[in-house]
Amino acid sequence: MYGLVNKAVEGFVKEQLGDDGWTQVCAKAGLSDPTFISMDAYDDSVTYNIVGAACEITGLEASAILEGFGRYWMLYTAEEGYGPLLDMTGSTVHEFLDNLNGMHSRIRATFPELRPPDFEVTDETEETLLLHYRTERPGLAPMAVGILYGLAERLGQEITVEHREKKADGADHDIFYIEVIG
Ligand code: HEM
């Protein structure tokens, strides 16, 4: 994944575990004091190894770490200059999710080797929708959940996310049932 993601993971780990915690995580992940460049593409194993090392050190499940990271991702991207893009993509959760693929496509201008996930909204009502999440990468659904909560917070809305269908349990793809409750 792009360095932007790894830098965000670094920021999240440092926020949670401090600079020493980050050094420990890197050592366990087999990385010595890495300097990530936002616009360089890295092998996915770098990101997975960091998350795996953070699990071993904290004793937390990967899903808990990934969900926390997802929430952090929204703050991080806004700070890294993507705020206007986020604002343009939608002012409500419904509108934003309808435009999410377009948003990832737009950033391809900056990240030519981007392999973004695919999102499809179905069964929309005023308060609810189903979000279909398709990706070539395993295990990142909790990150999507965290990003969704972070997104709602940014937009001043409150949501619940129910993970209805799980690829990890043999479903064709992951499906989230999202309810906007305020
Ligand atoms: C301005 C905001 C955002 C930026 C700049 C951004 C950018 C990126 C980048 C660079 C990647 C790594 C893909 C690669 O390196 O090939 C990624 C992955 C991902 N993005 Fe976004 N993204 C943003 C917002 C969102 C939002 C709102 C969601 C909503 C759920 C989302 C869901 C994901 C997920 C789940 C992945 C993990 C990769 C995968 O599932 O295959 N992103 N994004």
Side-chain angles (χ1 to χ4, degrees):
M1 276 194 270
Y2 269 97
L4 182 73
V5 175
N6 293 329
K7 276 178 70 175
V9 172
E10 175 180 351
F12 176 62
V13 170
K14 283 183 173 167
E15 180 195 85
Q16 298 292 314
L17 305 176
D19 286 3
D20 289 350
W22 172 243
T23 306
Q24 278 177 40
V25 166
C26 287
K28 207 167 250 314
L31 300 162
S32 61
D33 193 20
T35 307
F36 297 115
I37 314 285
S38 291
M39 284 167 201
D40 281 0
Y42 296 81
D43 195 275
D44 282 359
S45 63
V46 174
T47 318
Y48 281 92
N49 287 345
I50 294 172
V51 173
C55 290
E56 279 188 49
I57 285 172
T58 59
L60 292 169
E61 297 282 330
S63 57
I65 291 177
L66 285 167
E67 188 172 329
F69 170 65
R71 286 176 184 256
Y72 181 85
W73 177 241
M74 288 311 290
L75 300 172
Y76 184 82
T77 48
E79 266 176 23
E80 286 296 299
Y82 295 94
L85 177 64
L86 291 168
D87 291 342
M88 226 165 61
T89 304
S91 55
T92 64
V93 169
H94 274 64
E95 189 190 359
F96 197 102
L97 295 180
D98 278 331
N99 295 326
L100 188 49
N101 286 344
M103 191 218 73
H104 274 123
S105 295
R106 200 163 276 143
I107 60 171
R108 228 191 222 115
T110 322
F111 303 102
E113 290 168 56
L114 192 75
R115 290 181 287 125
D118 176 80
F119 290 94
E120 183 191 359
V121 175
T122 65
D123 301 77
E124 237 174 312
T125 71
E126 207 149 306
E127 286 91 25
T128 64
L129 59 85
L130 291 180
L131 183 67
H132 301 253
Y133 161 57
R134 296 179 177 87
T135 172
E136 62 190 66
R137 301 184 175 94
L140 299 182
M143 171 179 162
V145 172
I147 302 179
L148 290 168
Y149 281 116
L151 173 68
E153 204 175 314
R154 179 184 165 84
L155 297 174
Q157 290 187 302
E158 202 178 329
I159 59 166
T160 55
V161 181
E162 189 191 313
H163 198 172
R164 282 227 173 137
E165 299 273 342
K166 300 187 180 184
K167 192 157 186 215
D169 293 346
D172 175 69
H173 60 275
D174 290 283
I175 303 178
F176 305 110
Y177 174 72
I178 298 175
E179 187 168 5
V180 179
I181 51 177

